[in-house]
Each structure stands twice: as structure tokens, then as C-alpha cells.
Amino acid sequence: MFKIHADHLLTPKGKAPKKGSEMKKIYEDFDVDIYIDNQKIIDIKKHSITDHVTFKCKLATPAFSDAHTHIPFIGKRSNEFYLRNSGKTYSEIHKEGGGIYNTVNKVRSASINTLVKQNLKFLNLFEKSGVTLLEGKSGYGLDIQTELKQLKTIKYLNELSEIKIVPTFLGLHAIPHDKTKEEYINEITNYLDTIKKYTEIIDVFCDSGVFLPDDIENFFIIAKESGFKIRFHADEIENVGATKLAVKLGAISADHLLKISDEEVNLLSNSSTIATLMPGTSFYLGESFAPARKLIDSGAAVALGSDFNPGSCPIFKPSFIMHLALRFLKMEPEEILTAYTINSSYILGIENWTIEPGNKCDIALWNTNDFIDLAYMFDSNFLVGLVVNGKVKFYEAV
Ligand code: NIG
Ligand code: FE
């Protein structure tokens, strides 16, 4: 048993997910000891001098949970960043065979060994920024062998890393060049049992130039019948009705939502589908931001993620994503903490990501008393330690 002595404790409490005004309710306490034993938080009490080994911090929060990343991938696309800066759009680059296809070529030719080693480095970057739970997905194979290679890579990453990566199948990320949409969707449908060995979650890029609602509705009905939970990359480039279909099919999350209207805001707020927002992508592509304020004010549950990928958002740092969420999504700091912890972990299948007795929540230890400082000075690293799976890592005395 050991304890964390926190000058300031901030955590959501209770049942996930938090919707609308519930997102702002954060439990706060001062000068407390958080007792940890056998990987679990067992008690939280006012600080007292005891014999237990004690790690001190100015602020303790749940570690961050990133609801949406595109790990594992390999290679960079800085040439596309440059092209977009000269006026080319993300969609134009995709139509010309770059974008997602550029990374597909690199992932197809990489060995699992290479993929694992490169993506362990990424996991290390996430962890040193306070993220200990994140999503990873396939989607850079566009053929079943390579999609499975990505899912196997995630399995190895989980074996080799202390932080947890929850896999999603995103085979329908783009249309492969050697097949029609229908042929590819049929092929994926025939492999659902094999995919099930690696993941319980299926995502699709439902947008203009990729898969439209009519293309994928049946596929998703079959996937749901086979026991998969579903997620959507929805209405990121154009409003194609993806969010409507996500709500209709009871998706666990609809992600991006840059182009949704008030109609979809209302649908989401009256549903159990969580709106996953990634302001890093809007910033990076120079696009509009999702209507976060409208979503929260009308009662929707919002989660945050990085969308870390080599094309539309090579940003992994939660401090910068939180900076963007404050400035451009106009989210309150408390809402951001909820969105980056209990709501995002809920999408990843973990319901008790709060600092409360009985929970197995990882804890981030910070060297500032004010949560807002993480976003304010996004380029500084205030992290002075982490509790991951009940063990203390990277601790620096404060
Ligand atoms: O979430 N929108 C589709 N997929 C990613 C980008 C993937 C890529 O460009 O490599 C996204 O923005
Ligand atoms: Fe994405």
C-alpha cells in the first residue's frame, strides 16, 4: 500500500457517461491522501502523517483517456501538410490517391515487428503527457490481411506496454483501389467472425468521397447482430447524414461532427450516442469546429480525443487539445476534464475511470494547483508522475 498526498483533487464521480450540465459537476477536495493497494484506490482521507510511502503532488486528476486515435500507423505525410498550406484540400489529396492511401502503402509494406516498435514510441509520448488509456484502430490496410495485422499490432502493444489501448476495426476507412465499394463491404462482412477475435468495436468513415449512409446501413445491422458495438467518423467533411444513422443504429459514439446542424445536435442530445470531438483535426486542417457548446447545452454527452494520425491531426498532447477545446469549442475546464476522462473511457468500455474508493482508475499527478494551467501553458509538461495499474511511474518530487 502507498498513498498520494494531493494538495488539490479534481475528479468526476459516479456513473458514466455524464450528459449536458452533469459534465460540469466535478468533485473537488484539498489536502487529501489517496490510498492505493493491489491496483485499486481503496480510500481517500484528509491528509495525515502516517508510515505509508507517500508521493506528493499539487493536483491529482484521473489520467486522460483518449477516445479516438489512429494508432497503429507508420510514416509521415508532411508533404500533404505543405500542399494543404498552398491551397489543396484534404479531400482533393485523397481523390488523387494520397491521404489515407499514402499511409496504407506504408502500413502494407511494414512488418508487425516494425509497426509494434514504432507505435510503442507513440504510446510512450502519450503516457508522458498523462494519457494511460486510448483507442487504437485499423483502417490503414484496406485489405483484410493488413487490417488484421494492425489489430494484431494493438494486441502486442497491450502486451508490451503498461498503458491500455482499446482496439477498433476501421476497415471501411476508404475504398481500396482494386475493388468496388460493394465488393469490399461484402468481403469485410464475410470476415466479421475473424475480426471478432480481435475487437468488439467497428467504426466507419461515413462522409463524402468515402462511405455514405446507404452504403453501410446493412453492414452495420449485420455487425450489430454479430455482437459488435459501433462507432462512426460522422459528418467531418460534409453533412451526409452520418450522425443521423449513428443515432438511429444506437452507435456508442459519433465522432468529429464538424458539419452537423441543430437537427443532429437535438438527435444526439436525446440519444445514448456520445459526441466525440477532436478540435485538433479542425485546427490542423483549418476547418470549422464542432458545435460543442450547443451539444452540451442541449444535454448531449461529449467526449474528447486527439484523432492522432499522420494526415489530418499529428497531435497527441491532451494539453494542446484542451487548449483548443477551451478556446474554440468554448468548453468549461470542468467539462473538459469530464470529456477527457469518464466520458471517453466509457466509450472504450471502462466505466469507473474516477478517483473513488473501489476504482482501478489511473491517476495523473501535476505540479500546479490549477487544472486550467495545463491548457493555458500547453507546451509545458506539468506532469510529475502517474499511477498506472497501481504502480507509480516517472515520479519527480515536488
Ligand atoms: O479522423 N477522417 C478519416 N480519418 C482520419 C484521417 C486519417 C488520415 O488522414 O490518415 C480522421 O481525420
Ligand atoms: Fe479519426
Side-chain angles (χ1 to χ4, degrees):
M1 163 131 60
F2 65 91
K3 65 180 192 177
I4 306 293
H5 172 201
D7 287 340
H8 193 188
L9 165 67
L10 287 174
T11 181
K13 263 191 167 181
K15 228 173 119 35
K18 303 290 182 197
K19 292 187 83 175
S21 57
E22 289 291 306
M23 288 184 63
K24 229 184 142 182
K25 293 189 186 150
I26 291 290
Y27 173 81
E28 179 171 41
D29 209 340
F30 297 92
D31 201 29
V32 290
D33 290 329
I34 306 162
Y35 288 79
I36 292 151
D37 193 23
N38 203 12
Q39 300 195 355
K40 267 196 186 155
I41 298 161
I42 56 162
D43 208 352
I44 302 169
K45 292 199 268 212
K46 276 286 167 204
H47 174 61
S48 63
I49 310 287
T50 59
D51 286 341
H52 296 104
V53 174
T54 303
F55 298 89
K56 172 108 178 68
C57 66
K58 291 191 178 164
L59 171 68
T61 65
F64 294 123
S65 153
D66 189 330
H68 183 138
T69 89
H70 287 261
I71 281 179
F73 60 84
I74 196 148
K76 60 194 174 92
R77 307 217 306 255
S78 44
N79 58 323
E80 294 178 10
F81 161 67
Y82 178 75
L83 283 175
R84 277 198 308 275
N85 205 33
S86 334
K88 259 219 163 125
T89 66
Y90 179 83
S91 297
E92 283 165 354
I93 294 169
H94 179 84
K95 267 192 210 119
E96 289 166 14
I100 292 169
Y101 298 111
N102 181 331
T103 305
V104 166
N105 293 336
K106 292 174 178 135
V107 171
R108 281 183 181 173
S109 52
S111 67
I112 286 211
N113 193 19
T114 309
L115 278 174
V116 169
K117 281 189 289 185
Q118 175 56 51
N119 286 276
L120 269 177
K121 287 189 196 166
F122 291 147
L123 290 189
N124 198 28
L125 294 174
F126 273 96
E127 189 175 16
K128 292 231 163 95
S129 316
V131 178
T132 65
L133 173 63
L134 69 162
E135 188 223 19
K137 41 186 161 244
S138 68
Y140 290 126
L142 307 187
D143 62 44
I144 198 71
Q145 293 76 11
T146 315
E147 293 288 322
L148 292 177
K149 179 168 77 179
Q150 281 192 280
L151 294 178
K152 284 177 197 157
T153 301
I154 295 179
K155 191 167 169 274
Y156 289 127
L157 289 173
N158 270 317
E159 285 166 16
L160 292 166
S161 166
E162 280 183 273
I163 71 176
K164 190 167 161 51
I165 169 163
V166 176
T168 299
F169 179 79
L170 176 62
L172 302 182
H173 195 193
I175 303 151
H177 286 133
D178 58 347
K179 292 187 183 82
T180 65
K181 247 186 218 186
E182 295 68 30
E183 283 168 350
Y184 186 46
I185 295 173
N186 286 339
E187 183 186 334
I188 299 290
T189 311
N190 291 334
Y191 274 97
L192 283 175
D193 285 346
T194 313
I195 294 164
K196 197 68 188 291
K197 294 187 184 136
Y198 297 94
T199 177
E200 296 182 329
I201 309 172
I202 295 198
D203 189 356
V204 66
F205 189 6
C206 187
D207 219 312
S208 84
V210 267
F211 298 93
L212 296 173
D214 282 349
D215 299 327
I216 52 160
E217 182 163 357
N218 272 340
F219 166 75
F220 266 144
I221 291 171
I222 298 169
K224 274 196 81 174
E225 282 167 3
S226 317
F228 286 98
K229 295 188 229 169
I230 59 179
R231 298 184 67 170
F232 274 68
H233 275 69
D235 303 326
E236 175 185 358
I237 293 166
E238 248 181 57
N239 188 331
V240 295
T243 309
K244 282 195 191 110
L245 182 62
V247 171
K248 178 175 161 193
L249 295 179
I252 45 172
S253 80
D255 301 33
H256 287 291
L257 312 177
L258 268 52
K259 308 293 176 190
I260 61 170
S261 67
D262 289 353
E263 194 187 346
E264 285 89 13
V265 168
N266 288 331
L267 283 173
L268 282 165
S269 55
N270 290 310
S271 76
S272 57
T273 301
I274 299 179
T276 302
L277 307 185
M278 287 150 294
T281 313
S282 301
F283 168 80
Y284 206 76
L285 294 180
E287 285 291 335
S288 57
F289 287 84
R293 237 353 327 132
K294 281 187 177 175
L295 283 161
I296 297 173
D297 292 342
S298 65
V302 167
L304 281 167
S306 62
D307 196 27
F308 182 59
N309 75 74
S312 66
C313 189
I315 302 167
F316 61 87
K317 273 195 182 173
S319 54
F320 189 56
I321 302 298
M322 295 194 295
H323 177 91
L324 298 173
L326 262 155
R327 282 186 59 193
F328 300 107
L329 301 184
K330 302 294 176 200
M331 288 172 71
E332 296 292 328
E334 296 85 356
E335 293 167 343
I336 289 174
L337 182 59
T338 297
Y340 233 129
T341 57
I342 185 171
N343 279 6
S344 47
S345 63
Y346 177 80
I347 296 173
L348 305 183
I350 294 179
E351 299 198 12
N352 55 358
W353 202 256
T354 63
I355 304 179
E356 291 181 87
N359 286 358
K360 267 190 165 178
C361 175
D362 293 339
I363 303 174
L365 317 180
W366 307 101
N367 187 16
T368 174
N369 294 80
D370 293 322
F371 179 67
I372 199 167
D373 286 356
L374 312 187
Y376 159 68
M377 277 180 79
F378 61 81
D379 214 17
S380 302
N381 197 350
F382 290 102
L383 194 76
V384 288
L386 276 175
V387 180
V388 188
N389 294 324
K391 278 182 265 168
V392 175
K393 292 190 77 177
F394 319 121
Y395 183 71
E396 285 167 37
V398 290

